[in-house]
Amino acid sequence: MKKIAFITGATSGFGRAAARKFASEGWSLVLSGRRLERLVELKEELEVPTHIIQLDVRDADAVKRAVAELSSEFSQVTTLINNAGLALAPEGADKVDLADWHTMIDTNCTGLVNVTHALLPKLIEVGAGSTIINVGSIAGQWPYPGSHVYGATKAFVKQFSYNLRCDLLGTGVRVTDLAPGIAETEFTLVRTKGDQSASNNLYQGTTPLSAEDIAEHMFYIATLPNHININRIEVMPTRQAWSPFAIDRD
């Protein structure tokens, strides 16, 4: 069977690395993102059949149209990678702009369910071996200061993935929550609204994960034997671990 991966948020970071990895293994691709020029550039780079869609996953009607308009060459999607997402507002909850909270919820939760709902019939039609990979975060399991709504949205990703597994029992469709730790991408630039020094400081002096590391995990999950489902992978760099509980003192 022809292998086709539908990847959201393909213009940077994990999504772009996943596109390159799956293309290197001969998969056809459907790539979506908001920055059309980056999608065009990526398509020109890849040497496999590639369909690009300028898409804001928060727009449910646009998502439905994009999926409905897939040509026969790209319609039989075998793997969905729900990668589109972002973190904003690293400040404490009492200092955050409410609009940033709404943007994270609308993208990380609403966008994910929009795409999943639109593609479920195609994945179920493929059946055994079809895969949904939802990109979560260690923040969905482990709280930290400034995570507030971002962590809550990634906890939603985890629980949605688990419950989706229950509903898809018997269809052959697999679901995995892939939860990375610290990784050097545009994540911090987006979170700090372009503060390059904040991004540099976060990764300085340590060895974070790379986008390519996560793409390798995605490909591994998508190509396991049909009878194997990994419910959740939480992956941190070796140089990251937990800290003791914080205690307020007089």
Side-chain angles (χ1 to χ4, degrees):
M1 181 186 297
K2 182 179 180 181
K3 298 291 189 180
I4 303 172
F6 189 116
I7 305 172
T8 67
T11 56
S12 65
F14 301 153
R16 184 168 59 189
R20 289 169 173 160
K21 173 61 182 176
F22 280 74
S24 74
E25 300 289 344
W27 286 49
S28 297
L29 299 172
V30 179
L31 306 178
S32 78
R34 289 180 297 168
R35 291 172 286 189
L36 181 59
E37 69 284 355
R38 288 199 179 188
L39 290 171
V40 171
E41 180 182 322
L42 185 57
K43 180 179 179 178
E44 291 175 350
E45 169 193 332
L46 303 175
E47 297 180 353
V48 295
T50 302
H51 176 65
I52 58 174
I53 310 168
Q54 186 177 25
L55 182 66
D56 185 338
V57 296
R58 297 174 295 180
D59 185 337
D61 290 336
V63 170
K64 289 178 185 177
R65 283 196 304 272
V67 172
E69 291 171 1
L70 289 174
S71 69
S72 58
E73 182 180 6
F74 296 100
S75 64
Q76 198 169 33
V77 174
T78 51
T79 292
L80 166 60
I81 300 177
N82 275 315
N83 170 71
L86 78 169
L88 296 171
E91 308 86 5
D94 58 322
K95 299 179 177 65
V96 171
D97 186 332
L98 180 60
D100 286 341
W101 275 4
H102 286 170
T103 298
M104 287 187 280
I105 293 167
D106 292 344
T107 305
N108 300 354
C109 299
T110 305
L112 181 145
V113 301
N114 286 343
V115 177
T116 304
H117 189 268
L119 280 168
L120 267 179
K122 296 184 178 298
L123 292 161
I124 292 171
E125 183 179 351
V126 170
S130 59
T131 309
I132 299 171
I133 300 171
N134 294 326
V135 178
S137 169
I138 61 169
Q141 179 76 14
W142 310 105
Y144 61 86
S147 183
H148 40 75
V149 164
Y150 174 69
T153 64
K154 292 305 185 178
F156 171 87
V157 172
K158 179 180 69 173
Q159 200 61 32
F160 178 66
S161 300
Y162 288 174
N163 283 281
L164 200 56
R165 278 271 290 129
C166 295
D167 290 343
L168 293 175
L169 183 65
T171 67
V173 181
R174 306 179 292 191
V175 186
T176 299
D177 170 29
L178 176 56
I182 184 174
E184 188 168 4
T185 64
E186 293 180 7
F187 177 89
T188 301
L189 273 179
V190 172
R191 190 171 204 183
T192 60
K193 299 183 178 177
D195 187 341
Q196 185 65 58
S197 64
S199 180
N200 293 343
N201 290 338
L202 178 64
Y203 307 118
Q204 185 176 8
T206 190
T207 311
L209 300 171
S210 68
E212 291 71 25
D213 293 331
I214 300 305
E216 290 287 345
H217 280 75
M218 291 173 176
F219 188 74
Y220 169 72
I221 293 165
T223 55
L224 284 167
N226 293 352
H227 69 285
I228 299 176
N229 188 103
I230 295 180
N231 297 327
R232 185 170 189 268
I233 291 182
E234 182 178 286
V235 53
M236 292 183 184
T238 306
R239 299 182 72 181
Q240 182 182 27
W242 305 273
S243 294
F245 285 108
I247 300 173
D248 180 34
R249 302 184 188 276
D250 294 330

